[in-house]
């Protein structure tokens, strides 16, 4: 029995929605992974735990994607307005990766993300006017949200792809720029005093107040000012990027090795079939003689 799969199974840069524990008819027992740089999929050494595409239940989206789209639309007005209200995003905490200690984006990432969200809702490129006020942003967003009928939006292929990218971008926005900031550990940046990975990012106690970065080690308790933190974060750039390069090189080498194994297997099977065909032809010729 055939059915229409969720459209995420046709979008290369999105993880496909599957039914866990169920396998497609062409499953070879191995888990496959998509490589964005090579723009192809390759088998991994992991066992496949399920690859049957989830069925489309609402338009061309599965139930989960449909619910995520509805939830994202409910939060869209507040999130887009929130993103545009942040004129200079807190971009020091980037897992220790920055271009330079004094690097500042000419356009905040928050604004870029807001533009991407409103364009997915149908606004023409390049998005919001750069001089739009928060009140204008709110009015524009509300107007485009009023035009969205979720059931019609997810019933067509191209629009459904926009819906998928929309709720995924909303998930990233909620994770990176929450409405209320909370204490969270700083990644990959060591304390200036105790050299431990124990720094904690503390949000302002009042509106437009200072941000505190404090070492959580009881014996230390060092407070890092933003300038020193910028220097510490920048110093980690070479270490982090080199580690990323090594990891990526190892992954690509593994992918090439896996593809080579598949090619050799296919070549051997092809030769075996050709040999069997020749032997059968020879037997048939002898029988005819």
């Amino acid at each position: 029995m055939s059915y229409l799969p969720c459209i995420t199974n046709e979008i290369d840069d999105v993880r496909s929605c599957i039914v866990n524990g169920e396998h497609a008819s062409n499953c070879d027992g191995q888990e496959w992974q998509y490589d964005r740089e090579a723009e192809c999929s390759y088998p991994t050494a992991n066992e496949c735990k399920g690859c049957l595409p989830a069925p489309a239940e609402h338009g061309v989206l599965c139930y989960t994607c449909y619910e995520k789209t509805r939830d994202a639309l409910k939060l869209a007005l507040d999130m887009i307005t929130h993103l545009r209200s942040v004129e200079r995003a807190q971009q020091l905490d980037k897992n220790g990766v920055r271009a330079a200690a004094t690097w500042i984006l000419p356009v905040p990432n928050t604004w870029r993300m807001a533009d991407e969200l409103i364009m997915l809702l149908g606004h023409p490129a390049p998005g919001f006017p750069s001089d739009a006020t928060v009140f204008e942003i709110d009015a524009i967003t509300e107007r485009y949200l009023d035009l969205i009928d979720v059931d019609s939006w997810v019933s067509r292929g191209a629009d459904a792809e926009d819906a998928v990218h929309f709720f995924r971008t909303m998930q990233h926005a909620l994770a990176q720029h929450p409405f209320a900031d909370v204490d969270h550990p700083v990644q990959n940046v060591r304390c200036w005093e105790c050299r431990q990975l124990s720094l904690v990012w503390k949000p302002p106690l009042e509106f437009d107040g200072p941000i505190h970065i404090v070492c959580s080690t009881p014996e230390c308790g060092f407070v890092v000012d933003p300038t020193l933190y910028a220097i510490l974060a920048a110093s980690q750039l070479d270490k982090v990027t080199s580690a990323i390069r090594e990891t990526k090189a190892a992954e690509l080498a593994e992918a090439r090795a896996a593809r080579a194994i598949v090619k050799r297997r296919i070549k051997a099977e092809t030769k075996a079939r050709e040999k069997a065909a020749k032997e059968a032809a020879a037997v048939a010729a002898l029988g005819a003689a």
Side-chain angles (χ1 to χ4, degrees):
M1 179 178 179
S2 61
Y3 60 86
L4 182 67
C6 177
I7 199 171
T8 54
N9 289 273
E10 301 176 10
I11 307 176
D12 289 336
D13 59 343
V14 172
R15 184 176 181 179
S16 301
C17 293
I18 59 172
V19 181
N20 289 330
E22 299 292 335
H23 300 270
S25 58
N26 60 346
C27 177
D28 59 0
Q30 287 183 299
E31 181 182 9
W32 285 65
Q33 183 174 342
Y34 182 79
D35 191 315
R36 294 185 180 182
E37 293 186 1
E39 295 184 350
C40 68
S41 298
Y42 60 89
T44 66
N46 300 325
E47 180 183 356
C48 179
K49 297 180 180 179
C51 58
L52 183 69
E57 300 182 24
H58 298 273
V60 292
L61 295 187
C62 64
Y63 174 80
T64 302
C65 288
Y66 178 75
E67 289 299 316
K68 288 180 179 178
T69 302
R70 292 182 60 189
D71 292 341
L73 288 171
K74 293 176 184 177
L75 298 173
L77 180 61
D78 291 337
M79 175 51 71
I80 293 175
T81 307
H82 169 63
L83 291 172
R84 280 296 302 235
S85 67
V86 183
E87 296 186 356
R88 181 177 176 182
Q90 298 173 2
Q91 296 169 21
L92 291 178
D93 189 6
K94 284 288 186 179
N95 290 341
V97 179
R98 298 184 66 216
T102 58
W103 174 69
I104 299 175
L105 284 175
V107 178
N109 275 339
T110 49
W111 287 29
R112 295 176 183 271
M113 192 171 288
D115 288 340
E116 183 179 355
L117 287 169
I118 197 64
M119 286 189 290
L120 288 170
L121 291 175
H123 191 288
F128 293 111
S130 59
D131 57 349
T133 65
V134 174
F135 299 103
E136 291 171 333
I137 297 297
D138 184 88
I140 293 172
T141 304
E142 189 171 16
R143 184 168 74 249
Y144 277 92
L145 284 171
D146 288 341
L147 298 175
I148 293 291
D149 178 77
V150 63
D151 292 308
S152 299
W153 197 27
V154 303
S155 64
R156 299 179 296 272
D159 290 341
E161 287 191 26
D162 287 343
V164 171
H165 286 109
F166 178 79
F167 76 68
R168 286 173 58 85
T169 304
M170 278 289 296
Q171 289 174 335
H172 292 316
L174 287 167
Q176 296 174 10
H177 309 285
F179 294 115
D181 201 359
V182 294
D183 293 4
H184 60 275
V186 176
Q187 303 293 326
N188 299 326
V189 180
R190 295 184 180 276
C191 174
W192 179 259
E193 288 290 325
C194 65
R195 308 306 299 168
Q196 300 297 316
L197 294 171
S198 53
L199 295 180
V200 176
W201 181 286
K202 293 182 176 292
L205 298 177
E206 56 186 11
F207 177 74
D208 206 23
I211 297 170
H212 295 87
I213 303 165
V214 183
C215 179
S216 61
T217 304
E219 296 79 11
C220 180
F222 183 73
V223 179
V224 184
D225 64 81
T227 302
L228 176 58
Y229 175 74
I231 297 173
L232 293 173
S235 68
Q236 302 297 316
L237 178 62
D238 292 337
K239 296 179 182 178
V240 174
T241 52
S242 62
I244 292 174
R245 291 194 196 98
E246 291 176 1
T247 302
K248 190 60 180 178
E251 291 176 352
L252 290 175
E254 181 181 353
R256 285 194 293 267
R259 286 195 291 269
I261 292 173
V262 172
K263 288 180 179 179
R264 287 197 296 269
R265 185 183 66 192
I266 294 174
K267 186 176 181 180
E269 291 175 352
T270 302
K271 286 184 176 180
R273 285 195 298 269
E274 291 175 351
K275 183 179 179 181
K278 289 180 180 179
E279 290 177 351
V283 171
L286 288 175

